[in-house]
Amino acid sequence: MENLETGLLLMVVGMTTVFAILLIVINLGKGLIVLVNKYAPEEIIVKKQVTPQRQAVPASPAGGITNQTTAAIVSAVSVVTGGQGKVVKIEKL
């Protein structure tokens, strides 16, 4: 019986020690994250905008689409089709 008690005692002490060390590691990791975010924030990378080639688009209807919306549609079609697409007509539904 004495060996069983010694084994159980060693198991409890070992598991408690491992649990305590894991808690310390977790808290130190969280602290490190806070310090890094405070003193070395992530750099904001500004990407250079590529201007697509302009395409001739017919004038939009009188009460319809603005020039900004037309430009956005043309550039979206150009990006999606890899410059192969062409906007012929824009109608507001």
Side-chain angles (χ1 to χ4, degrees):
M1 275 319 263
E2 186 178 326
N3 288 338
L4 186 61
E5 290 175 6
T6 305
L8 288 174
L9 179 64
L10 284 172
M11 183 183 70
V12 170
V13 169
M15 291 179 76
T16 304
T17 305
V18 168
F19 184 72
I21 290 173
L22 285 175
L23 286 178
I24 292 170
V25 168
I26 289 170
N27 288 326
L28 286 176
K30 287 181 180 180
L32 180 64
I33 290 171
V34 169
L35 285 175
V36 167
N37 286 336
K38 183 177 180 181
Y39 293 111
E42 183 177 342
E43 295 180 14
I44 299 174
I45 300 172
V46 179
K47 293 184 178 180
K48 183 179 177 183
Q49 294 181 351
V50 178
T51 56
Q53 296 177 351
R54 302 245 177 206
Q55 297 177 354
V57 178
S60 58
I65 303 169
T66 64
N67 289 338
Q68 291 177 341
T69 306
T70 303
I73 292 170
V74 169
S75 63
V77 168
S78 176
V79 168
V80 169
T81 62
Q84 300 294 320
K86 182 179 177 185
V87 178
V88 177
K89 185 176 183 182
I90 300 174
E91 291 181 351
K92 188 172 184 179
L93 300 177

